[in-house]
Amino acid sequence: MKKVVFFLSMVMLTSTFITAEAGDNKWGVRAGYQNTNIYSDGDAIGDNLGGFYIGAFREHQLIPLLSLSAGLEYTQMGMKAFDENMNLNYLGVPVGLKAKLGPISAIGGTGINFKVGEHDMYDDVKGFDIPVYLGAGFNVLMIGIEARYQWGLTDINGDSAGKFANRGFQIGISVGF
């Protein structure tokens, strides 16, 4: 399974840079606030945990109103339980589509997140997560404001006691070049 995950992540990362020489590319950075929790069978396990995300991206225009976006992003996920912050830190490769109509855009996609750290988690958490996300944005010149909701598709629980999944809301700012 680790070989499959590694292969898929390399394919996504490689596809990010294949069209780097094409004319309709935009590079940028994004950062913002993230509010997350861990869910089991649709129910929140603890209280929401605030954190941040930061990353870089590249957008390639496919047709006038649709672009493909991919990048590298650091995110803090987790929950708050028993007055303790239970953090999961991920380095991810998000890949998505952006449909733009004037200054308003709809965004959606998937990716793969690799765990780079954890703090105060009860069970051993798997080393990766595969999220999907949906959201909307508003752009003025080089500045964008985005809000998105992210669902983890992977059972991140390291044992068989139950299925746990990351979920979270992000709101942030992006600057494109």
Side-chain angles (χ1 to χ4, degrees):
M1 182 66 175
K2 288 182 181 181
K3 289 181 183 180
V4 171
V5 170
F6 179 75
F7 175 75
L8 289 176
S9 65
M10 289 300 105
V11 168
M12 286 191 292
L13 191 57
T14 303
S15 69
T16 302
F17 297 102
I18 285 177
T19 58
E21 298 302 316
D24 294 329
N25 288 322
K26 177 171 75 170
W27 292 85
V29 293
R30 69 169 52 110
Y33 174 75
Q34 183 162 288
N35 191 3
T36 65
N37 207 327
I38 296 176
Y39 288 76
S40 177
D41 297 323
D43 297 323
I45 295 175
D47 293 326
N48 289 355
L49 178 66
F52 72 93
Y53 68 95
I54 187 167
F57 66 91
R58 188 182 65 70
E59 248 178 51
H60 174 71
Q61 187 172 353
L62 300 172
I63 57 175
L65 301 177
L66 186 66
S67 60
L68 174 68
S69 176
L72 192 61
E73 195 167 86
Y74 173 82
T75 60
Q76 293 182 319
M77 305 290 277
M79 66 181 179
K80 188 172 194 159
F82 307 111
D83 292 329
E84 299 222 14
N85 292 341
M86 300 179 175
N87 295 321
L88 290 168
N89 302 310
Y90 289 101
L91 188 60
V93 182
V95 177
L97 292 174
K98 180 188 238 182
K100 189 172 178 186
L101 186 57
I104 308 256
S105 58
I107 52 179
T110 187
I112 187 162
N113 291 338
F114 295 99
K115 183 179 74 169
V116 293
E118 66 180 82
H119 178 71
D120 283 341
M121 296 302 291
Y122 289 121
D123 298 311
D124 184 36
V125 176
K126 286 187 181 172
F128 69 95
D129 188 18
I130 299 175
V132 295
Y133 63 89
L134 286 174
F138 182 81
N139 290 23
V140 176
L141 300 175
M142 297 175 16
I143 308 294
I145 297 172
E146 295 179 343
R148 61 178 80 182
Y149 192 80
Q150 180 174 303
W151 296 267
L153 299 178
T154 308
D155 176 9
I156 62 168
N157 194 2
D159 62 23
S160 60
K163 182 177 178 181
F164 294 166
N166 286 311
R167 290 189 193 171
F169 176 76
Q170 295 178 332
I171 186 161
I173 192 165
S174 65
V175 179
F177 310 102

